[in-house]
Amino acid sequence: MNVQTEDKLSDIRTSLTKVSAHANIALIKYWGKRSIDLNLPATGSISLTLDSLKTETVLRFDQSLQTDQFTLDEKPASKEQIKKVSHLVDIMYGSTVRPKFDIKSSNNFPTGAGLASSASGFAALTLAVSHALELDLSAEDLSRFARQGSGSAARSLFGGFVEMKCGSDLQGDQDFAVQLFDKDYWDIRMAVAITSVREKKVGSTEGMIRTAQTSPFYNSWIDSSKDDLNQMKQALAEKDFEKMGELAEHNSFKMHGLAISANPPLLYWNASTVELIHKIRDIRRSGVQAYITMDAGPQVKVLCLPGDLNEVCDTLKTTSGVQRIITARPGPGATVEVIE
Ligand code: PMV
């Protein structure tokens, strides 16, 4: 499927490929791996792609380059970041012997701070590489490649509400993402309160490995997440906002409880995160349907209906330590924008 032989080098587009992809936030979280090598998830997950969190990536293969070049947010990427990107390109190309790339990627939101920049980043990269290499991939196959860059990236290829499936073998044939409902299916909102733009100390892969190795609750998390996934599909199908919100919030707290039970504990929150949790619970008691979800970082994401967005944002704004608020609607899937 993906092997490029020497005589096919000329088939590679050496022109620019520009791609955009949007971050997604999980309503049912992925936390745990069945296989590290193929990056196979230990649980299925469901996410919402967000219109206002966007990565733009420009890629060009260049036979004259000696090494891969990767610029992230207008700065040279770290060795570790280049290694990850090169590895995914090797896999897609089918060999480590290939033309080198020049990639420039930028996010309109803080990178590596628990806002799913790896999801939109690897989704954009996968689509750009497949386009440049003229790989004729199905959406499922594309998502299998994106998954190998970052588990959540498989979901960012699609817009709206997306499920990442979890297979049972170690080949990964059943581990791919599918769209459940497109971005116009349900007009809900997410307000994201940014409480720190620092990169997280423990990345998701290290966190997941540590959790699986040390938490006494890991197996219960895996078992209970199957039921959460089915319930979430039902809540979405019924457009039952309360059921969806309560379940998303419960699943997120369960993931953080699990992470805290790792040894050493993984505590992704700061003081503002905790204050925000209390405030959102307070406004809910006064009748606002607002539900919290959080990822591997201190940002608080609040799900609400359009009519409650202003009140939710006012609540977030008046909390100490909140640096910025981003509001979002369900967003589109990854697209190839311009080819020069
Ligand atoms: O895709 P990764 O390796 O960045 O892991 C994502 C982990 C969470 O954001 C915490 C949960 C999720 O499903 O997105």
Side-chain angles (χ1 to χ4, degrees), residues 25 35 42 47 61 66 83 108 115 136-137 153 180 237 258 280 292 300 302 309 318 320 333 336:
I25 298 298
S35 153
S47 61
F61 282 103
Q66 300 300 305
K83 201 171 142 196
N108 69 350
L115 283 174
D136 190 17
L137 298 173
L180 296 174
L258 176 77
I280 294 302
I292 297 159
V300 175
V302 184
L309 186 64
T318 53
S320 55
V336 179

Side-chain angles (χ1 to χ4, degrees), residues 105-126:
S105 191
S106 55
N107 298 317
N108 69 350
F109 60 97
T111 300
L115 283 174
S117 55
S118 66
S120 48
F122 277 107
L125 175 73
T126 307

Side-chain angles (χ1 to χ4, degrees), residues 2 68 85-98:
N2 56 333
D68 289 332
V85 170
S86 298
H87 178 62
L88 183 61
V89 177
D90 291 347
I91 295 174
M92 293 187 75
Y93 187 80
S95 167
T96 52
V97 185
R98 56 161 173 79

Side-chain angles (χ1 to χ4, degrees), residues 35 99 119 122 170 186 259 273:
S35 153
F122 277 107
L170 287 179
W186 196 8
T273 317

